[in-house]
């Protein structure tokens, strides 16, 4: 029997909108940009990372023979989180990230929220969340007989899908190539980010959503990642 292709969706925060300022501070959860507009009073504009539209990646189907997939343990799913991030950060001489259980719990709360329905959703927290966020969604493995299985995805594959966007990022212009997305990559290599924590949720239809949270957040308008 043949299996339909697996679809993975990714979503992150993008910052690629033009912004001209006269004074700015290092990014953190409380940071603002002060724009002086004499002789008028100073105007304070909060720095808010800007979400970008979803990215769809087609994943080739496996062999048509129906072979049950082994479900990965939690340790197997998240083994290599730091290595996957820090390998890319090291290319630009950036300090390595450290794992944060606090961010992992924070990510799990949102992953659970995205998985409340029968199938996993993928959208960012509303308002002004204190941390950066990368999202990844995978559909289930579906066979012609209707059987569904959890796709055997681990964190290294998830982070690779995000950081592979490096090829679409133009450092000189601080923008993605036209028609491409690179906000997942820029968050992963944001120079001021020190911690990361990740989680995932499997939904009733066997789809899954992955969430990684970053502290301090990255992807601020008008600033380069490194």
């Amino acid at each position: 029997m043949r299996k339909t292709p697996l679809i993975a969706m990714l979503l992150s925060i993008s910052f690629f909108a033009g912004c001209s300022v006269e004074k700015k501070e290092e990014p953190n959860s409380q940071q603002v940009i002060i724009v002086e507009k004499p002789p008028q009073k100073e105007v304070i504009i909060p720095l808010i990372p800007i979400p970008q539209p979803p990215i769809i990646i087609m994943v080739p189907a496996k062999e048509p023979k129906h072979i049950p997939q082994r479900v990965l343990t939690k340790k197997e799913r998240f083994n290599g989180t730091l290595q996957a991030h820090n390998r890319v950060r090291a290319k630009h001489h950036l300090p390595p990230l450290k794992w944060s259980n606090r961010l992992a719990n924070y990510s799990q709360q949102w992953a659970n929220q995205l998985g409340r329905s029968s199938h996993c959703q993928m959208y960012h927290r509303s308002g002004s969340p204190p941390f950066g966020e990368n999202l990844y969604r995978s559909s289930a493995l579906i066979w012609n007989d209707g059987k569904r299985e959890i796709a055997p995805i681990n964190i290294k594959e998830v982070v690779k899908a995000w950081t592979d966007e490096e090829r679409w990022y133009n450092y000189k212009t601080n923008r993605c190539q036209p028609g491409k997305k690179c906000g997942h990559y820029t968050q992963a290599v944001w120079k001021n980010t020190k911690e990361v924590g990740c989680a995932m949720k499997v939904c009733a239809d066997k789809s899954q959503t992955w969430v990684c949270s970053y502290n301090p957040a990255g992807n601020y308008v008008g600033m380069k990642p490194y």
Side-chain angles (χ1 to χ4, degrees):
M1 292 182 288
R2 297 187 63 82
K3 179 172 61 177
T4 58
L6 168 67
I7 297 180
M9 300 178 61
L10 304 111
L11 181 62
S12 96
I13 303 171
S14 178
F15 62 90
F16 302 113
C19 182
S20 176
V21 300
E22 295 184 15
K23 179 180 180 183
K24 60 185 177 184
E25 302 177 2
E26 287 297 318
N28 55 55
S29 58
Q30 302 297 323
Q31 189 178 7
V32 296
I33 292 179
I34 301 176
V35 180
E36 297 182 0
K37 195 177 180 181
Q40 299 180 359
K41 188 178 180 180
E42 289 183 342
V43 179
I44 300 178
I45 305 175
L47 276 175
I48 302 176
I50 302 176
Q52 64 181 5
I55 302 170
I56 301 175
I57 295 180
M58 302 300 296
V59 180
K62 302 291 185 181
E63 293 296 325
K65 184 178 180 181
H66 187 172
I67 302 175
Q69 300 289 329
R70 183 177 68 84
V71 178
L72 299 177
T73 66
K74 182 177 181 180
K75 181 178 180 179
E76 288 174 327
R77 286 188 184 278
F78 292 101
N79 184 36
T81 303
L82 296 180
Q83 293 90 328
H85 282 89
N86 293 333
R87 174 184 59 82
V88 181
R89 293 175 65 87
K91 292 170 56 178
H92 304 289
H93 308 288
L94 300 171
L97 299 182
K98 296 181 179 179
W99 178 265
S100 167
N101 288 328
R102 177 176 65 124
L103 292 179
N105 293 333
Y106 181 82
S107 297
Q108 191 65 64
Q109 292 173 4
W110 190 239
N112 292 342
Q113 174 65 32
L114 296 176
R116 288 185 180 276
S117 62
S118 61
H119 62 281
C120 292
Q121 305 291 319
M122 193 170 75
Y123 53 89
H124 285 287
R125 295 174 189 259
S126 59
S128 302
F131 306 118
E133 186 175 82
N134 275 349
L135 303 179
Y136 177 103
R137 182 184 181 276
S138 169
S139 64
L141 300 177
I142 306 174
W143 300 89
N144 289 337
D145 61 4
K147 183 175 178 59
R148 290 173 174 265
E149 295 176 350
I150 302 172
I153 296 172
N154 59 50
I155 190 64
K156 289 183 286 188
E157 296 174 89
V158 173
V159 176
K160 184 178 186 302
W162 292 334
T163 56
D164 277 352
E165 295 174 352
E166 180 178 10
R167 63 187 183 274
W168 307 124
Y169 176 63
N170 186 318
Y171 183 81
K172 184 176 180 180
T173 63
N174 195 28
R175 293 180 181 274
C176 303
Q177 291 186 24
K180 303 296 183 180
K181 307 299 178 185
C182 57
H184 304 93
Y185 162 71
T186 53
Q187 172 58 88
V189 297
W190 197 262
K191 62 182 178 181
N192 293 322
T193 299
K194 295 179 173 61
E195 300 177 306
V196 63
C198 304
M200 64 89 67
K201 171 70 174 178
V202 176
C203 296
D205 67 348
K206 306 298 184 182
S207 62
Q208 55 190 287
T209 295
W210 294 70
V211 181
C212 280
S213 299
Y214 300 84
N215 181 45
N219 284 351
Y220 287 95
V221 175
M223 300 181 67
K224 291 186 176 182
Y226 48 82

